[in-house]
Amino acid sequence: MQNIHQRACRKIGKYLKIYSDIFNSRLLRETTVQRRKFTSSSPKMAPRNSPRNLRVLLDMDGVLADFEGQFLKNFREKYPQDPFVPLEDRSGFYVTKQYYALGQDIGTKAFGIYEEKGFFLSLQPIEGAIEAAREMADMEGVDVYICTSPIKKYTHCVVEKYQWLDKHLGKEWMERMILTRDKTVINGDLLIDDKPNITGGMSPPQWQHVLFTSWHNRDVTLQGGQVRLDGWLPHSGWRDILERKRQEINK
Ligand code: T3P
Ligand code: MG
């Protein structure tokens, strides 16, 4: 009786061992396959370090839309007898600061020009800007966003910035719109902007600043990692700036 019992136990043990061997070898095989799946050398997998898209943030006023030109035109039409600052004499980012230097009342009038209903919608596109923005958005491996700040008196400015984008680039560009008073907290690789000194909550910001040449910043010395872009015409080299950055982020 004891013999039968011992033999039965031995048989069960043998089957258990066979089962555990099969189980372990399957487990080993599966783990190996799984591990192989996550290595970049696997022929079935896309390369682990496939290039990521370049994120370009495009400023509006002074980069796509001619704030300075429209401001001067409107000021001169409304106040033909008052002193003004010709575009060649512009310096400093804020136009109002230079007008205040001509007199308190002139500064107040200057403020009124861009706070007026219709000002932001009426801005003319900067030469070549619309074509460049469209081409950029169509580029393989490039994501384009509009990154613009509304003025503090936002009533007309905010809605008109959307209307401007719709008018000149089309409805689908609404998806690209980022309105913020602090551009430093926005995630991007390049910010193309005419303001020389962009500060905010994030220091340093994630993006590299491409200083877009405008009347007010022609003589500004580049700082930090800034590079300069002189307009949107073909020779300006905007495509090279993007390509260089795309290679840099995918090194
Ligand atoms: P943007 O971020 O699109 O460049 O300051 C609010 C917006 O108005 C901002 O738009 C810059 C623009 N602006 C000028 O370009 N020059 C000025 O002098 C002032 C007051 C505003
Ligand atoms: Mg600007």
Side-chain angles (χ1 to χ4, degrees), residues 59-63 65 93 147-148 183 192-195 216:
D59 176 30
M60 258 177 123
D61 301 334
V63 169
F93 179 71
C147 187
T148 181
K183 298 186 187 183
I192 304 180
D193 202 297
D194 64 309
K195 190 176 184 183
H216 63 78

Side-chain angles (χ1 to χ4, degrees), residues 44-62:
K44 284 187 185 144
M45 285 290 293
R48 193 203 250 161
N49 297 323
S50 60
R52 74 164 174 84
N53 285 2
L54 178 78
R55 219 168 295 133
V56 182
L57 309 170
L58 277 180
D59 176 30
M60 258 177 123
D61 301 334

Side-chain angles (χ1 to χ4, degrees), residues 23-38:
F23 179 80
N24 283 339
S25 74
R26 261 186 73 178
L27 196 69
L28 187 70
R29 213 171 339 117
E30 276 168 15
T31 320
T32 314
V33 170
Q34 290 250 346
R35 217 179 281 139
R36 216 182 297 139
K37 267 190 189 167
F38 290 101

Side-chain angles (χ1 to χ4, degrees), residues 60-61 65 70 74 113-123 148 150-151 153-168 174 177 179:
M60 258 177 123
D61 301 334
Q70 195 66 44
N74 291 10
I113 294 293
Y114 59 80
E115 287 179 349
E116 222 163 63
K117 185 175 181 346
F119 175 77
F120 283 95
L121 180 56
S122 74
L123 303 189
T148 181
I151 55 170
K153 196 177 169 190
Y154 54 81
T155 329
H156 308 302
C157 175
V158 170
V159 70
E160 287 181 22
K161 275 181 176 289
Y162 274 98
Q163 288 169 335
W164 192 95
L165 204 60
D166 188 6
K167 179 176 167 186
H168 294 283
M174 302 299 116
M177 184 66 135
L179 268 150

Side-chain angles (χ1 to χ4, degrees), residues 64 129-131 133-134 146 164-173:
L64 298 180
I130 301 302
E131 296 76 5
R134 287 220 171 95
I146 304 296
W164 192 95
L165 204 60
D166 188 6
K167 179 176 167 186
H168 294 283
L169 281 157
K171 284 259 177 297
E172 64 278 16
W173 281 71

Side-chain angles (χ1 to χ4, degrees), residues 225-238:
Q226 286 177 332
V227 289
R228 194 178 264 281
L229 176 58
D230 284 327
W232 290 116
L233 295 183
H235 63 268
S236 73
W238 67 265

